[in-house]
Amino acid sequence: MAELPPLLTASPSDLSRAAELLRAGEIVALPTETVYGLAADALNPAALAKVFAAKGRPLVDPLIVHVADLAQLATIAQPDPRLAALAPLWPGPLTVVLPRLPVVPDLVTAGLDTVAVRIPSHRIFREVLSRVGPLAAPSANPFGYVSPTLASHVRDSLGERCPWIVDGGPCAHGVESTILDLSRSGVARLLRPGPVTRESLESALGAPVETVVHSAPSSQAQLAPGMLERHYSPRTPIRLFARGAEPDIPPAHAAVLLQSRRAAPPAGAEPFHLSESGDPAEAARALFALLRKLDRRGYEVIVAELADESGVGVALNDRLRRAAAR
Ligand code: TXA
Ligand code: MG
């Protein structure tokens, strides 16, 4: 087996190399403020096919296209007047679904007449965008597995399927972007909770945002294409319990994942906490790395405490519920 190249850095020469590879139709994993993305030229079907192959992702699951700014956005999607109101939240961990322009390959949209677009804030990603143009990038994990928040996560789970990775250190938010559907005029729908809360979207838009519920991820018919990726799942089974409650620990080699440090953690399981103090932003940042770590340790079960259902806690709980769904 050929040796993999070392991780690329944020140096100008390494970023030029990453841009060159992308322009040549290769795939490159890049850091974003949410999770690491597996990037490809959004207008090059051969490059896009490599993304699906590397992830083992079904072709019916559309990709998010990342753009540097609204001018780049207007080359692939029909801008919506409501985008002006979202200016305070962009660049950032927010994806907006808009009517597509014909230039966007069907592989990106899975044949839908809409395209999901995001203006990321991460310096490295933005630098590459400015050199290459629109980049499609799903999370850089095998389909269905936990999203990567470190370069080493990408290397560990994709290996030679993605030799080129730019190391930008840990991701600031740690959960994937909020997805807001603005493709129908007069309607705003939240398709995936994320770091940008529904409340902040409503106050920016000055209008209500409907929540699309995906409560039974494995069995329910697909309400939105995004929900096909139902798991975010470690191999280890996960059981959930309410914030602050005393969980039932099964008689097994178990880990208990807590939102904050407890003076007296539940007996019968090895305790881990996402945040010293129970700060939901810190917990979200830590979640995927801890799930990966516990998965490597070979527990028979992970008993996980849900967050309070507010702020980024809504996104955290969404990911925990999906991880627990079998
Ligand atoms: O934070 C993020 O959004 C990360 C980083 C890399 O930007 N990306 C990410 O991509 O989470 P991915 O592919 O793992 O999840 C994007 C979801 C997909 O499940 C997809 O189905 C949904 O967005 N999506 C894409 N295009 C859509 C569309 N036109 N309508 C509805 N949902 C769409
Ligand atoms: Mg993903």
Side-chain angles (χ1 to χ4, degrees):
M1 195 164 63
E3 207 171 301
L4 290 168
L7 299 179
L8 298 171
T9 69
S11 71
S13 62
D14 278 7
L15 294 188
S16 299
R17 179 91 181 102
E20 224 171 82
L21 286 160
L22 287 162
R23 277 194 300 262
E26 293 302 326
I27 56 176
V28 178
L30 297 173
T32 86
E33 68 276 26
T34 57
V35 299
Y36 276 73
L38 187 57
D41 177 348
L43 303 181
N44 178 343
L48 296 165
K50 293 179 189 172
V51 170
F52 285 92
K55 280 183 64 88
R57 180 178 175 116
L59 295 175
V60 293
D61 196 4
L63 304 175
I64 294 175
V65 179
H66 300 69
V67 293
D69 49 32
L70 290 172
Q72 231 175 48
L73 181 149
T75 66
I76 57 156
Q78 239 170 67
D80 186 284
R82 290 169 287 180
L83 292 182
L86 295 176
L89 303 171
W90 252 3
L94 173 66
T95 295
V96 177
V97 176
L98 295 169
R100 72 188 280 196
L101 295 185
V103 67
V104 182
D106 278 340
L107 264 181
V108 166
T109 64
L112 296 170
D113 50 12
T114 56
V115 60
V117 192
R118 175 155 110 80
I119 304 181
S121 63
H122 198 287
R123 189 183 68 78
I124 292 175
F125 207 107
R126 295 186 61 78
E127 175 64 36
V128 178
L129 277 175
S130 70
R131 296 177 193 220
V132 185
L135 292 172
S139 50
N141 50 285
F143 181 70
Y145 195 62
V146 181
S147 294
T149 54
L150 287 172
S152 62
H153 294 161
V154 182
R155 180 123 296 175
D156 290 348
S157 55
L158 289 178
E160 59 194 359
R161 286 182 280 166
C162 178
W164 302 105
I165 302 169
V166 178
D167 187 356
C171 298
H173 293 291
V175 290
E176 303 83 352
S177 62
T178 303
I179 304 184
L180 176 69
D181 182 359
L182 294 183
S183 62
R184 283 188 287 155
S185 62
V187 186
R189 299 192 313 157
L190 185 70
L191 299 185
R192 179 174 73 184
V196 174
T197 62
R198 187 161 67 91
E199 292 72 23
S200 57
L201 290 171
E202 290 186 329
S203 81
L205 292 169
V209 172
E210 291 171 24
T211 298
V212 178
V213 186
H214 309 281
S215 51
S218 51
S219 57
Q220 223 172 42
Q222 240 185 295
L223 288 167
M227 303 314 143
L228 197 72
E229 186 172 8
R230 60 199 191 277
H231 276 357
Y232 301 88
S233 292
R235 286 170 291 272
T236 316
I238 299 190
R239 294 195 197 172
L240 304 174
F241 67 97
R243 173 98 163 114
E246 277 306 315
D248 283 332
I249 305 287
H253 182 42
V256 61
L257 183 158
L258 300 165
Q259 293 293 329
S260 57
R261 185 191 285 281
R262 291 192 187 183
E270 206 173 328
F272 296 87
H273 54 269
L274 292 171
S275 156
E276 257 331 292
S277 60
D279 170 29
E282 191 186 348
R285 207 154 43 231
L287 177 67
F288 289 153
L290 186 53
L291 285 178
R292 280 175 181 260
K293 171 169 143 181
L294 297 183
D295 215 15
R296 283 195 305 270
R297 295 222 181 161
Y299 292 102
E300 289 167 82
V301 60
I302 299 168
V303 183
E305 182 181 31
L306 290 163
D308 289 325
E309 194 77 21
S310 65
V312 74
V314 176
L316 215 154
N317 286 346
D318 171 77
R319 305 311 188 267
L320 276 173
R321 291 194 181 100
R322 288 172 196 288
R326 292 269 141 184

